PDB file of all heavy atoms in Angstrom:
ATOM      1  N   THR A   1      65.272  70.441  54.716  1.00  0.00           N
ATOM      2  CA  THR A   1      64.091  71.203  54.298  1.00  0.00           C
ATOM      3  C   THR A   1      64.263  72.717  54.473  1.00  0.00           C
ATOM      4  O   THR A   1      63.366  73.485  54.131  1.00  0.00           O
ATOM      5  CB  THR A   1      62.839  70.752  55.064  1.00  0.00           C
ATOM      6  OG1 THR A   1      63.089  70.874  56.471  1.00  0.00           O
ATOM      7  CG2 THR A   1      62.525  69.301  54.741  1.00  0.00           C
ATOM      8  N   ALA A   2      65.393  73.127  55.032  1.00  0.00           N
ATOM      9  CA  ALA A   2      65.607  74.548  55.273  1.00  0.00           C
ATOM     10  C   ALA A   2      65.801  75.302  53.958  1.00  0.00           C
ATOM     11  O   ALA A   2      66.499  74.846  53.060  1.00  0.00           O
ATOM     12  CB  ALA A   2      66.820  74.756  56.176  1.00  0.00           C
ATOM     13  N   ALA A   3      65.190  76.489  53.878  1.00  0.00           N
ATOM     14  CA  ALA A   3      65.343  77.309  52.668  1.00  0.00           C
ATOM     15  C   ALA A   3      66.793  77.686  52.450  1.00  0.00           C
ATOM     16  O   ALA A   3      67.241  77.837  51.301  1.00  0.00           O
ATOM     17  CB  ALA A   3      64.460  78.550  52.782  1.00  0.00           C
ATOM     18  N   SER A   4      67.544  77.856  53.534  1.00  0.00           N
ATOM     19  CA  SER A   4      68.955  78.240  53.400  1.00  0.00           C
ATOM     20  C   SER A   4      69.755  77.165  52.697  1.00  0.00           C
ATOM     21  O   SER A   4      70.724  77.459  51.969  1.00  0.00           O
ATOM     22  CB  SER A   4      69.559  78.538  54.769  1.00  0.00           C
ATOM     23  OG  SER A   4      69.457  77.404  55.624  1.00  0.00           O
ATOM     24  N   THR A   5      69.385  75.879  52.879  1.00  0.00           N
ATOM     25  CA  THR A   5      70.095  74.794  52.206  1.00  0.00           C
ATOM     26  C   THR A   5      69.875  74.851  50.713  1.00  0.00           C
ATOM     27  O   THR A   5      70.809  74.719  49.906  1.00  0.00           O
ATOM     28  CB  THR A   5      69.637  73.432  52.753  1.00  0.00           C
ATOM     29  OG1 THR A   5      69.925  73.358  54.160  1.00  0.00           O
ATOM     30  CG2 THR A   5      70.363  72.291  52.053  1.00  0.00           C
ATOM     31  N   GLU A   6      68.636  75.061  50.320  1.00  0.00           N
ATOM     32  CA  GLU A   6      68.347  75.197  48.883  1.00  0.00           C
ATOM     33  C   GLU A   6      69.091  76.360  48.282  1.00  0.00           C
ATOM     34  O   GLU A   6      69.625  76.259  47.168  1.00  0.00           O
ATOM     35  CB  GLU A   6      66.848  75.366  48.676  1.00  0.00           C
ATOM     36  CG  GLU A   6      66.472  75.468  47.208  1.00  0.00           C
ATOM     37  CD  GLU A   6      64.975  75.652  46.988  1.00  0.00           C
ATOM     38  OE1 GLU A   6      64.243  75.827  47.975  1.00  0.00           O
ATOM     39  OE2 GLU A   6      64.537  75.656  45.796  1.00  0.00           O
ATOM     40  N   ARG A   7      69.145  77.462  49.005  1.00  0.00           N
ATOM     41  CA  ARG A   7      69.852  78.654  48.490  1.00  0.00           C
ATOM     42  C   ARG A   7      71.323  78.353  48.304  1.00  0.00           C
ATOM     43  O   ARG A   7      71.934  78.785  47.319  1.00  0.00           O
ATOM     44  CB  ARG A   7      69.655  79.824  49.412  1.00  0.00           C
ATOM     45  CG  ARG A   7      68.264  80.451  49.373  1.00  0.00           C
ATOM     46  CD  ARG A   7      68.261  81.833  50.025  1.00  0.00           C
ATOM     47  NE  ARG A   7      68.587  81.750  51.438  1.00  0.00           N
ATOM     48  CZ  ARG A   7      67.673  81.614  52.415  1.00  0.00           C
ATOM     49  NH1 ARG A   7      66.387  81.525  52.100  1.00  0.00           N
ATOM     50  NH2 ARG A   7      68.051  81.579  53.686  1.00  0.00           N
ATOM     51  N   ARG A   8      71.924  77.630  49.259  1.00  0.00           N
ATOM     52  CA  ARG A   8      73.359  77.279  49.151  1.00  0.00           C
ATOM     53  C   ARG A   8      73.614  76.410  47.929  1.00  0.00           C
ATOM     54  O   ARG A   8      74.581  76.593  47.206  1.00  0.00           O
ATOM     55  CB  ARG A   8      73.844  76.575  50.403  1.00  0.00           C
ATOM     56  CG  ARG A   8      74.020  77.463  51.610  1.00  0.00           C
ATOM     57  CD  ARG A   8      74.957  76.840  52.639  1.00  0.00           C
ATOM     58  NE  ARG A   8      74.552  75.499  53.006  1.00  0.00           N
ATOM     59  CZ  ARG A   8      73.682  75.209  53.971  1.00  0.00           C
ATOM     60  NH1 ARG A   8      73.086  76.186  54.640  1.00  0.00           N
ATOM     61  NH2 ARG A   8      73.390  73.953  54.278  1.00  0.00           N
ATOM     62  N   VAL A   9      72.735  75.457  47.700  1.00  0.00           N
ATOM     63  CA  VAL A   9      72.891  74.547  46.553  1.00  0.00           C
ATOM     64  C   VAL A   9      72.797  75.312  45.259  1.00  0.00           C
ATOM     65  O   VAL A   9      73.625  75.173  44.359  1.00  0.00           O
ATOM     66  CB  VAL A   9      71.853  73.415  46.588  1.00  0.00           C
ATOM     67  CG1 VAL A   9      71.873  72.599  45.286  1.00  0.00           C
ATOM     68  CG2 VAL A   9      72.100  72.507  47.793  1.00  0.00           C
ATOM     69  N   LEU A  10      71.769  76.157  45.138  1.00  0.00           N
ATOM     70  CA  LEU A  10      71.601  76.928  43.900  1.00  0.00           C
ATOM     71  C   LEU A  10      72.725  77.940  43.680  1.00  0.00           C
ATOM     72  O   LEU A  10      73.172  78.131  42.540  1.00  0.00           O
ATOM     73  CB  LEU A  10      70.250  77.663  43.933  1.00  0.00           C
ATOM     74  CG  LEU A  10      69.015  76.755  43.928  1.00  0.00           C
ATOM     75  CD1 LEU A  10      67.747  77.582  44.015  1.00  0.00           C
ATOM     76  CD2 LEU A  10      68.992  75.871  42.694  1.00  0.00           C
ATOM     77  N   ALA A  11      73.218  78.508  44.789  1.00  0.00           N
ATOM     78  CA  ALA A  11      74.349  79.438  44.678  1.00  0.00           C
ATOM     79  C   ALA A  11      75.599  78.717  44.220  1.00  0.00           C
ATOM     80  O   ALA A  11      76.392  79.229  43.429  1.00  0.00           O
ATOM     81  CB  ALA A  11      74.593  80.128  46.025  1.00  0.00           C
ATOM     82  N   ALA A  12      75.779  77.488  44.716  1.00  0.00           N
ATOM     83  CA  ALA A  12      76.948  76.689  44.305  1.00  0.00           C
ATOM     84  C   ALA A  12      76.861  76.316  42.826  1.00  0.00           C
ATOM     85  O   ALA A  12      77.876  76.324  42.115  1.00  0.00           O
ATOM     86  CB  ALA A  12      77.050  75.421  45.159  1.00  0.00           C
ATOM     87  N   VAL A  13      75.674  76.018  42.349  1.00  0.00           N
ATOM     88  CA  VAL A  13      75.477  75.708  40.925  1.00  0.00           C
ATOM     89  C   VAL A  13      75.801  76.939  40.087  1.00  0.00           C
ATOM     90  O   VAL A  13      76.483  76.873  39.069  1.00  0.00           O
ATOM     91  CB  VAL A  13      74.055  75.194  40.646  1.00  0.00           C
ATOM     92  CG1 VAL A  13      73.807  75.072  39.145  1.00  0.00           C
ATOM     93  CG2 VAL A  13      73.828  73.848  41.337  1.00  0.00           C
ATOM     94  N   ASP A  14      75.291  78.097  40.509  1.00  0.00           N
ATOM     95  CA  ASP A  14      75.565  79.343  39.783  1.00  0.00           C
ATOM     96  C   ASP A  14      77.063  79.640  39.746  1.00  0.00           C
ATOM     97  O   ASP A  14      77.588  80.085  38.718  1.00  0.00           O
ATOM     98  CB  ASP A  14      74.829  80.521  40.451  1.00  0.00           C
ATOM     99  CG  ASP A  14      73.348  80.501  40.154  1.00  0.00           C
ATOM    100  OD1 ASP A  14      72.942  79.825  39.187  1.00  0.00           O
ATOM    101  OD2 ASP A  14      72.592  81.154  40.882  1.00  0.00           O
ATOM    102  N   ASP A  15      77.737  79.394  40.870  1.00  0.00           N
ATOM    103  CA  ASP A  15      79.186  79.635  40.924  1.00  0.00           C
ATOM    104  C   ASP A  15      79.917  78.695  39.953  1.00  0.00           C
ATOM    105  O   ASP A  15      80.858  79.128  39.279  1.00  0.00           O
ATOM    106  CB  ASP A  15      79.685  79.399  42.352  1.00  0.00           C
ATOM    107  CG  ASP A  15      81.175  79.651  42.505  1.00  0.00           C
ATOM    108  OD1 ASP A  15      81.616  80.808  42.325  1.00  0.00           O
ATOM    109  OD2 ASP A  15      81.938  78.683  42.752  1.00  0.00           O
ATOM    110  N   ALA A  16      79.478  77.435  39.896  1.00  0.00           N
ATOM    111  CA  ALA A  16      80.094  76.497  38.978  1.00  0.00           C
ATOM    112  C   ALA A  16      79.865  76.916  37.522  1.00  0.00           C
ATOM    113  O   ALA A  16      80.793  76.874  36.690  1.00  0.00           O
ATOM    114  CB  ALA A  16      79.541  75.089  39.225  1.00  0.00           C
ATOM    115  N   LEU A  17      78.669  77.363  37.224  1.00  0.00           N
ATOM    116  CA  LEU A  17      78.355  77.805  35.872  1.00  0.00           C
ATOM    117  C   LEU A  17      79.228  79.011  35.493  1.00  0.00           C
ATOM    118  O   LEU A  17      79.680  79.125  34.345  1.00  0.00           O
ATOM    119  CB  LEU A  17      76.885  78.188  35.755  1.00  0.00           C
ATOM    120  CG  LEU A  17      75.897  77.015  35.812  1.00  0.00           C
ATOM    121  CD1 LEU A  17      74.469  77.542  35.933  1.00  0.00           C
ATOM    122  CD2 LEU A  17      76.032  76.138  34.587  1.00  0.00           C
ATOM    123  N   SER A  18      79.496  79.891  36.467  1.00  0.00           N
ATOM    124  CA  SER A  18      80.339  81.064  36.191  1.00  0.00           C
ATOM    125  C   SER A  18      81.768  80.659  35.903  1.00  0.00           C
ATOM    126  O   SER A  18      82.507  81.434  35.261  1.00  0.00           O
ATOM    127  CB  SER A  18      80.307  82.018  37.379  1.00  0.00           C
ATOM    128  OG  SER A  18      81.050  81.522  38.488  1.00  0.00           O
ATOM    129  N   LYS A  19      82.169  79.477  36.322  1.00  0.00           N
ATOM    130  CA  LYS A  19      83.516  78.957  36.026  1.00  0.00           C
ATOM    131  C   LYS A  19      83.590  78.226  34.700  1.00  0.00           C
ATOM    132  O   LYS A  19      84.622  77.701  34.335  1.00  0.00           O
ATOM    133  CB  LYS A  19      83.973  78.025  37.160  1.00  0.00           C
ATOM    134  CG  LYS A  19      84.220  78.694  38.505  1.00  0.00           C
ATOM    135  CD  LYS A  19      84.666  77.666  39.527  1.00  0.00           C
ATOM    136  CE  LYS A  19      85.185  78.304  40.810  1.00  0.00           C
ATOM    137  NZ  LYS A  19      84.106  78.919  41.589  1.00  0.00           N
ATOM    138  N   GLY A  20      82.468  78.160  34.003  1.00  0.00           N
ATOM    139  CA  GLY A  20      82.454  77.478  32.721  1.00  0.00           C
ATOM    140  C   GLY A  20      82.036  76.022  32.795  1.00  0.00           C
ATOM    141  O   GLY A  20      82.118  75.317  31.807  1.00  0.00           O
ATOM    142  N   ILE A  21      81.600  75.573  33.969  1.00  0.00           N
ATOM    143  CA  ILE A  21      81.197  74.177  34.122  1.00  0.00           C
ATOM    144  C   ILE A  21      79.764  74.022  33.650  1.00  0.00           C
ATOM    145  O   ILE A  21      78.853  74.712  34.122  1.00  0.00           O
ATOM    146  CB  ILE A  21      81.340  73.753  35.606  1.00  0.00           C
ATOM    147  CG1 ILE A  21      82.814  73.791  36.010  1.00  0.00           C
ATOM    148  CG2 ILE A  21      80.744  72.354  35.841  1.00  0.00           C
ATOM    149  CD1 ILE A  21      83.049  73.705  37.479  1.00  0.00           C
ATOM    150  N   GLU A  22      79.542  73.097  32.742  1.00  0.00           N
ATOM    151  CA  GLU A  22      78.221  72.880  32.196  1.00  0.00           C
ATOM    152  C   GLU A  22      77.726  71.471  32.411  1.00  0.00           C
ATOM    153  O   GLU A  22      76.546  71.172  32.169  1.00  0.00           O
ATOM    154  CB  GLU A  22      78.222  73.198  30.691  1.00  0.00           C
ATOM    155  CG  GLU A  22      78.586  74.647  30.384  1.00  0.00           C
ATOM    156  CD  GLU A  22      78.606  74.950  28.897  1.00  0.00           C
ATOM    157  OE1 GLU A  22      78.522  73.973  28.122  1.00  0.00           O
ATOM    158  OE2 GLU A  22      78.670  76.141  28.533  1.00  0.00           O
ATOM    159  N   GLU A  23      78.601  70.586  32.823  1.00  0.00           N
ATOM    160  CA  GLU A  23      78.207  69.201  33.074  1.00  0.00           C
ATOM    161  C   GLU A  23      79.187  68.579  34.059  1.00  0.00           C
ATOM    162  O   GLU A  23      80.299  69.093  34.274  1.00  0.00           O
ATOM    163  CB  GLU A  23      78.183  68.399  31.775  1.00  0.00           C
ATOM    164  CG  GLU A  23      79.543  68.301  31.110  1.00  0.00           C
ATOM    165  CD  GLU A  23      79.534  67.512  29.832  1.00  0.00           C
ATOM    166  OE1 GLU A  23      78.485  66.865  29.565  1.00  0.00           O
ATOM    167  OE2 GLU A  23      80.522  67.504  29.107  1.00  0.00           O
ATOM    168  N   ALA A  24      78.754  67.496  34.670  1.00  0.00           N
ATOM    169  CA  ALA A  24      79.592  66.742  35.581  1.00  0.00           C
ATOM    170  C   ALA A  24      79.853  65.349  34.983  1.00  0.00           C
ATOM    171  O   ALA A  24      78.977  64.798  34.298  1.00  0.00           O
ATOM    172  CB  ALA A  24      78.920  66.616  36.937  1.00  0.00           C
ATOM    173  N   PRO A  25      81.073  64.833  35.226  1.00  0.00           N
ATOM    174  CA  PRO A  25      82.144  65.348  36.062  1.00  0.00           C
ATOM    175  C   PRO A  25      82.956  66.456  35.402  1.00  0.00           C
ATOM    176  O   PRO A  25      83.083  66.486  34.172  1.00  0.00           O
ATOM    177  CB  PRO A  25      83.008  64.120  36.327  1.00  0.00           C
ATOM    178  CG  PRO A  25      82.850  63.306  35.064  1.00  0.00           C
ATOM    179  CD  PRO A  25      81.423  63.491  34.661  1.00  0.00           C
ATOM    180  N   ALA A  26      83.470  67.339  36.243  1.00  0.00           N
ATOM    181  CA  ALA A  26      84.370  68.387  35.776  1.00  0.00           C
ATOM    182  C   ALA A  26      85.411  68.630  36.849  1.00  0.00           C
ATOM    183  O   ALA A  26      85.067  68.814  38.022  1.00  0.00           O
ATOM    184  CB  ALA A  26      83.593  69.672  35.493  1.00  0.00           C
ATOM    185  N   LEU A  27      86.659  68.633  36.457  1.00  0.00           N
ATOM    186  CA  LEU A  27      87.768  68.803  37.393  1.00  0.00           C
ATOM    187  C   LEU A  27      88.385  70.177  37.189  1.00  0.00           C
ATOM    188  O   LEU A  27      88.763  70.545  36.073  1.00  0.00           O
ATOM    189  CB  LEU A  27      88.831  67.715  37.156  1.00  0.00           C
ATOM    190  CG  LEU A  27      90.047  67.782  38.070  1.00  0.00           C
ATOM    191  CD1 LEU A  27      89.680  67.467  39.510  1.00  0.00           C
ATOM    192  CD2 LEU A  27      91.141  66.813  37.552  1.00  0.00           C
ATOM    193  N   VAL A  28      88.467  70.951  38.275  1.00  0.00           N
ATOM    194  CA  VAL A  28      89.113  72.264  38.229  1.00  0.00           C
ATOM    195  C   VAL A  28      90.456  72.154  38.933  1.00  0.00           C
ATOM    196  O   VAL A  28      90.536  71.801  40.115  1.00  0.00           O
ATOM    197  CB  VAL A  28      88.245  73.344  38.904  1.00  0.00           C
ATOM    198  CG1 VAL A  28      88.978  74.671  38.924  1.00  0.00           C
ATOM    199  CG2 VAL A  28      86.905  73.474  38.198  1.00  0.00           C
ATOM    200  N   VAL A  29      91.506  72.445  38.192  1.00  0.00           N
ATOM    201  CA  VAL A  29      92.867  72.302  38.699  1.00  0.00           C
ATOM    202  C   VAL A  29      93.431  73.682  39.006  1.00  0.00           C
ATOM    203  O   VAL A  29      93.546  74.546  38.135  1.00  0.00           O
ATOM    204  CB  VAL A  29      93.774  71.603  37.665  1.00  0.00           C
ATOM    205  CG1 VAL A  29      95.161  71.367  38.255  1.00  0.00           C
ATOM    206  CG2 VAL A  29      93.146  70.288  37.200  1.00  0.00           C
ATOM    207  N   GLY A  30      93.755  73.898  40.286  1.00  0.00           N
ATOM    208  CA  GLY A  30      94.373  75.149  40.699  1.00  0.00           C
ATOM    209  C   GLY A  30      93.562  76.386  40.383  1.00  0.00           C
ATOM    210  O   GLY A  30      94.116  77.476  40.194  1.00  0.00           O
ATOM    211  N   GLU A  31      92.241  76.215  40.277  1.00  0.00           N
ATOM    212  CA  GLU A  31      91.345  77.353  39.967  1.00  0.00           C
ATOM    213  C   GLU A  31      91.646  77.966  38.612  1.00  0.00           C
ATOM    214  O   GLU A  31      91.218  79.099  38.335  1.00  0.00           O
ATOM    215  CB  GLU A  31      91.390  78.417  41.071  1.00  0.00           C
ATOM    216  CG  GLU A  31      90.980  77.892  42.436  1.00  0.00           C
ATOM    217  CD  GLU A  31      90.919  79.005  43.470  1.00  0.00           C
ATOM    218  OE1 GLU A  31      91.218  80.155  43.150  1.00  0.00           O
ATOM    219  OE2 GLU A  31      90.568  78.691  44.636  1.00  0.00           O
ATOM    220  N   GLU A  32      92.345  77.242  37.744  1.00  0.00           N
ATOM    221  CA  GLU A  32      92.712  77.783  36.432  1.00  0.00           C
ATOM    222  C   GLU A  32      92.352  76.832  35.284  1.00  0.00           C
ATOM    223  O   GLU A  32      91.852  77.297  34.251  1.00  0.00           O
ATOM    224  CB  GLU A  32      94.205  78.085  36.393  1.00  0.00           C
ATOM    225  CG  GLU A  32      94.654  79.181  37.322  1.00  0.00           C
ATOM    226  CD  GLU A  32      96.142  79.451  37.181  1.00  0.00           C
ATOM    227  OE1 GLU A  32      96.931  78.555  37.603  1.00  0.00           O
ATOM    228  OE2 GLU A  32      96.515  80.501  36.664  1.00  0.00           O
TER     229      GLU A  32
END
């Protein structure tokens, strides 16, 4: 229930979107 947990989850989603991920599953190999 901590606000920091929600922020981490949303930040992780934003980071994934910035990598071009739009749906799961998605495999990122070697960050490239």
